[in-house]
Protein backbone atom coordinates (compact mmCIF):
# COMPACT_ATOMS: atom_id res chain seq x y z
CA UNK A 1 0.00 0.00 0.00
CA UNK A 2 1.37 3.38 -0.90
CA UNK A 3 0.39 6.94 -0.21
CA UNK A 4 -2.26 8.59 -2.39
CA UNK A 5 -1.09 11.33 -4.73
CA UNK A 6 -2.93 14.03 -2.74
CA UNK A 7 -1.13 13.26 0.56
CA UNK A 8 0.52 16.30 2.08
CA UNK A 9 4.00 16.55 3.58
CA UNK A 10 2.72 15.96 7.12
CA UNK A 11 0.84 12.84 6.06
CA UNK A 12 3.89 11.59 4.20
CA UNK A 13 6.13 12.20 7.23
CA UNK A 14 3.67 10.44 9.52
CA UNK A 15 3.37 7.51 7.08
CA UNK A 16 7.11 6.86 7.06
CA UNK A 17 7.55 7.77 10.73
CA UNK A 18 4.87 5.28 11.71
CA UNK A 19 6.55 2.55 9.70
CA UNK A 20 9.89 3.41 11.31
CA UNK A 21 8.42 3.26 14.82
CA UNK A 22 6.76 -0.09 14.05
CA UNK A 23 10.10 -1.39 12.78
CA UNK A 24 11.85 -0.31 15.99
CA UNK A 25 9.20 -2.05 18.11
CA UNK A 26 9.55 -5.17 15.98
CA UNK A 27 13.33 -5.15 16.45
CA UNK A 28 12.92 -4.61 20.20
CA UNK A 29 10.71 -7.69 20.42
CA UNK A 30 12.70 -9.92 18.02
CA UNK A 31 16.30 -8.99 18.92
CA UNK A 32 16.46 -11.15 22.10
CA UNK A 33 15.49 -14.20 20.04
CA UNK A 34 18.18 -13.39 17.48
CA UNK A 35 20.76 -13.21 20.28
CA UNK A 36 19.70 -16.54 21.80
CA UNK A 37 20.01 -18.50 18.53
CA UNK A 38 23.83 -18.34 18.26
CA UNK A 39 24.15 -18.90 22.00
CA UNK A 40 22.32 -22.21 21.66
CA UNK A 41 25.28 -23.59 19.68
CA UNK A 42 27.78 -22.86 22.50
CA UNK A 43 30.12 -25.74 23.40
CA UNK A 44 30.73 -24.41 26.92
CA UNK A 45 28.62 -25.48 29.91
CA UNK A 46 27.41 -21.89 30.45
CA UNK A 47 25.22 -19.74 28.27
CA UNK A 48 27.40 -16.83 27.14
CA UNK A 49 29.47 -15.68 24.19
CA UNK A 50 33.03 -17.00 24.48
CA UNK A 51 36.12 -15.61 22.75
CA UNK A 52 36.12 -18.69 20.50
CA UNK A 53 32.57 -17.98 19.40
CA UNK A 54 33.36 -14.35 18.69
CA UNK A 55 36.35 -15.36 16.53
CA UNK A 56 34.16 -17.99 14.78
CA UNK A 57 36.33 -20.89 15.94
CA UNK A 58 34.58 -24.15 14.89
CA UNK A 59 35.59 -25.85 18.16
CA UNK A 60 33.61 -23.27 20.13
CA UNK A 61 30.32 -24.40 18.56
CA UNK A 62 28.47 -27.65 19.14
CA UNK A 63 25.06 -29.28 19.06
CA UNK A 64 25.34 -30.50 22.66
CA UNK A 65 22.20 -28.70 23.86
CA UNK A 66 20.13 -30.01 20.95
CA UNK A 67 21.51 -33.53 21.45
CA UNK A 68 20.63 -33.29 25.14
CA UNK A 69 17.12 -32.18 24.27
CA UNK A 70 16.56 -35.19 22.00
CA UNK A 71 18.24 -37.86 24.16
CA UNK A 72 17.25 -36.74 27.66
CA UNK A 73 14.09 -38.44 28.95
CA UNK A 74 13.01 -35.38 30.91
CA UNK A 75 13.01 -33.21 27.77
CA UNK A 76 11.09 -35.73 25.68
CA UNK A 77 8.56 -36.29 28.48
CA UNK A 78 8.09 -32.52 28.84
CA UNK A 79 7.65 -32.07 25.08
CA UNK A 80 5.07 -34.87 25.01
CA UNK A 81 3.16 -33.28 27.90
CA UNK A 82 3.25 -29.91 26.13
CA UNK A 83 1.77 -31.37 22.95
CA UNK A 84 -1.00 -33.13 24.90
CA UNK A 85 -1.85 -29.99 26.87
CA UNK A 86 -1.77 -27.86 23.70
CA UNK A 87 -4.18 -30.22 21.93
CA UNK A 88 -6.76 -30.28 24.70
CA UNK A 89 -6.49 -26.56 25.47
CA UNK A 90 -7.07 -25.82 21.76
CA UNK A 91 -10.18 -27.98 21.75
CA UNK A 92 -11.46 -26.39 24.98
CA UNK A 93 -10.70 -22.81 23.86
CA UNK A 94 -12.35 -23.36 20.48
CA UNK A 95 -15.48 -24.78 22.06
CA UNK A 96 -15.77 -22.09 24.73
CA UNK A 97 -14.95 -19.33 22.26
CA UNK A 98 -17.64 -20.53 19.88
CA UNK A 99 -20.19 -20.69 22.68
CA UNK A 100 -19.21 -17.20 23.85
CA UNK A 101 -19.46 -15.80 20.33
CA UNK A 102 -22.88 -17.34 19.81
CA UNK A 103 -24.10 -16.07 23.17
CA UNK A 104 -22.71 -12.56 22.75
CA UNK A 105 -24.18 -12.23 19.28
CA UNK A 106 -27.66 -12.16 20.86
CA UNK A 107 -28.72 -8.65 21.82
CA UNK A 108 -31.02 -9.82 24.64
CA UNK A 109 -28.39 -11.76 26.63
CA UNK A 110 -28.41 -10.74 30.30
CA UNK A 111 -25.12 -9.28 31.63
CA UNK A 112 -23.83 -9.07 28.05
CA UNK A 113 -21.49 -6.13 28.72
CA UNK A 114 -20.06 -7.82 31.83
CA UNK A 115 -19.25 -11.02 29.92
CA UNK A 116 -17.82 -9.01 27.02
CA UNK A 117 -15.54 -7.13 29.42
CA UNK A 118 -14.35 -10.35 31.03
CA UNK A 119 -13.65 -12.00 27.67
CA UNK A 120 -11.85 -8.98 26.20
CA UNK A 121 -9.75 -8.16 29.29
CA UNK A 122 -6.84 -10.49 28.35
CA UNK A 123 -6.45 -8.57 25.09
CA UNK A 124 -6.50 -5.21 26.87
CA UNK A 125 -3.91 -6.13 29.52
CA UNK A 126 -1.54 -8.64 27.90
CA UNK A 127 0.85 -10.70 29.99
CA UNK A 128 3.91 -9.33 28.19
Amino acid sequence: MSLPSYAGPLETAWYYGYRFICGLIFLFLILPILVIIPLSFNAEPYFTFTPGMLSLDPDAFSFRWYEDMVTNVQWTHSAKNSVIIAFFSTILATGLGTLAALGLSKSYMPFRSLFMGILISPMIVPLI
Side-chain angles (χ1 to χ4, degrees):
M1 186 172 124
S2 63
L3 284 169
S5 60
Y6 56 83
L10 186 62
E11 291 170 325
T12 305
W14 172 245
Y15 176 79
Y16 291 113
Y18 178 74
R19 287 182 175 252
F20 179 73
I21 291 169
C22 288
L24 287 178
I25 292 171
F26 179 73
L27 279 176
F28 178 75
L29 293 174
I30 297 298
L31 202 58
I33 296 171
L34 297 177
V35 169
I36 292 297
I37 291 171
L39 285 175
S40 69
F41 294 102
N42 192 356
E44 298 294 325
Y46 45 88
F47 206 57
T48 184
F49 283 108
T50 60
M53 288 182 74
L54 295 175
S55 65
L56 299 176
D57 181 20
D59 294 331
F61 296 94
S62 82
F63 288 105
R64 71 180 285 193
W65 304 114
Y66 294 100
E67 182 182 329
D68 183 51
M69 188 173 65
V70 173
T71 59
N72 193 339
V73 177
Q74 290 176 334
W75 279 107
T76 55
H77 183 67
S78 299
K80 186 176 90 172
N81 284 343
S82 295
V83 169
I84 291 170
I85 290 169
F87 175 77
F88 286 111
S89 64
T90 301
I91 298 297
L92 182 68
T94 302
L96 291 176
T98 303
L99 287 174
L102 290 173
L104 290 172
S105 67
K106 310 294 183 197
S107 61
Y108 55 88
M109 180 183 171
F111 304 110
R112 183 173 185 254
S113 61
L114 175 69
F115 286 125
M116 182 70 85
I118 290 171
L119 291 173
I120 290 179
S121 65
M123 290 187 284
I124 295 171
V125 184
L127 296 175
I128 299 176

